[in-house]
Each structure stands twice: as structure tokens, then as C-alpha cells.
């Protein structure tokens, strides 16, 4: 009790002293930092994937976040044979820094010569090295499944 609230008088020698409760430290409020967010359309092919014939995979990336990305990031393309889970080829491409609302088409060329007439999946991972702190980290992987045609195999 504060002395300004109560006036004490008399003999207090037999009154036990009690420590006041500890003062809690306020939890700081986190101020959100504006950040970019990379998102993309589904990958597409420039032609039908055919064994031993080069084909291109394209993906249109946009920054739908609240600020520019301010750095170049890596986009990883992987061709995986579905039945075995083995990676057939990996390609990397650079994605430049992007302002809010910017779009950029990223491409990778493949020439697959294994597991024709079987299903493969192309996995495209935006910011594959996790350089950016994005508003949504769960929208960075896009896929397309195809059957590799026999061609020259």
C-alpha cells in the first residue's frame, strides 16, 4: 500500500513484512515487416516431352507480396521418374529481384532418355535456397506430370 494512500501509526514490530509481487515484463508487439511473396502459374511445356528430344519447361512467377524481393533467387527444376522416385535431371535458373506485381517467365531445358512411356513429374521450386523471407513459404513448389514419349529411345 502506498504511503500516499494510507497513513500508518502505532507499533508495527510484530507485523510480518510481505514482498510485493514481481512486476511482469510486457511482451513486445511484433511489427510486421513488409516482404515479397513469390507465387507462380503451373509449369507448361513448349512441346510434348519425348525421349532424347530437348523440351522446355516454363513457369510464370509473380511477386504478390507487399514489397519488392530485392535479391536474385534460384529456381530449381527437377525431373523425377514417378515409379522409382529417381531424379532424372536437375536444372537451375536465376529469378531476378521483383517489384510488387512483377511477372517473370523462368525456363529450363530438359533432354530425358530414360523411362519412356512412363510417368515423370517436373517439380519447380521457387527460392530453392530459401533466401527470401516470404509472407507465404508454402506456395513455392509447383508440379506437372507427363508421360515421356518413346521418340528415339
Amino acid at each position: 500500500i502506498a504511503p500516499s494512500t494510507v497513513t500508518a501509526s502505532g507499533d508495527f514490530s510484530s507485523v510480518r513484512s510481505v514482498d510485493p509481487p514481481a512486476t511482469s515484463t510486457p511482451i513486445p508487439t511484433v511489427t510486421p515487416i513488409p516482404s515479397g511473396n513469390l507465387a507462380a502459374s503451373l509449369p507448361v511445356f513448349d512441346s510434348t516431352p519425348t525421349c532424347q528430344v530437348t523440351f522446355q519447361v516454363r513457369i510464370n512467377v509473380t511477386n504478390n507480396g507487399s514489397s519488392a524481393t530485392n535479391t536474385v533467387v534460384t529456381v530449381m527444376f527437377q525431373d523425377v521418374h514417378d515409379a522409382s522416385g529417381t531424379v532424372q535431371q536437375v536444372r537451375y535458373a536465376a529469378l531476378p529481384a521483383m517489384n510488387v506485381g512483377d511477372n517473370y517467365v523462368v525456363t529450363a531445358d530438359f533432354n530425358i532418355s530414360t523411362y519412356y512411356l512412363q510417368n515423370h513429374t517436373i517439380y519447380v521450386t521457387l527460392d530453392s535456397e530459401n533466401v527470401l523471407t516470404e509472407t507465404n513459404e508454402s506456395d513455392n513448389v509447383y508440379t506437372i506430370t507427363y508421360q515421356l514419349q518413346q521418340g528415339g529411345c
Side-chain angles (χ1 to χ4, degrees), residues 53-151:
V53 176
T54 300
F55 62 93
Q56 187 176 80
V57 180
R58 294 187 303 261
I59 191 163
N60 185 13
V61 181
T62 188
N63 175 5
N64 64 7
S66 59
S67 69
T69 58
N70 295 326
T71 189
V72 175
V73 297
T74 301
V75 178
M76 180 176 62
F77 294 76
Q78 291 181 299
D79 182 291
V80 177
H81 174 241
D82 288 357
S84 67
T86 58
V87 176
Q88 302 303 294
Q89 287 182 0
V90 179
R91 300 288 182 259
Y92 297 94
L95 179 66
M98 298 175 70
N99 289 320
V100 174
D102 280 357
N103 287 294
Y104 190 84
V105 176
V106 185
T107 64
D109 292 338
F110 286 88
N111 190 314
I112 307 297
S113 60
T114 52
Y115 302 112
Y116 62 86
L117 300 180
Q118 296 183 41
N119 285 344
H120 294 240
T121 299
I122 299 286
Y123 292 86
V124 182
T125 306
L126 309 178
D127 188 21
S128 61
E129 296 169 334
N130 204 25
V131 172
L132 296 177
T133 301
E134 298 179 71
T135 53
N136 182 356
E137 293 286 353
S138 67
D139 64 351
N140 285 351
V141 178
Y142 297 85
T143 62
I144 186 169
T145 299
Y146 71 94
Q147 185 178 75
L148 183 64
Q149 300 305 301
Q150 185 170 354

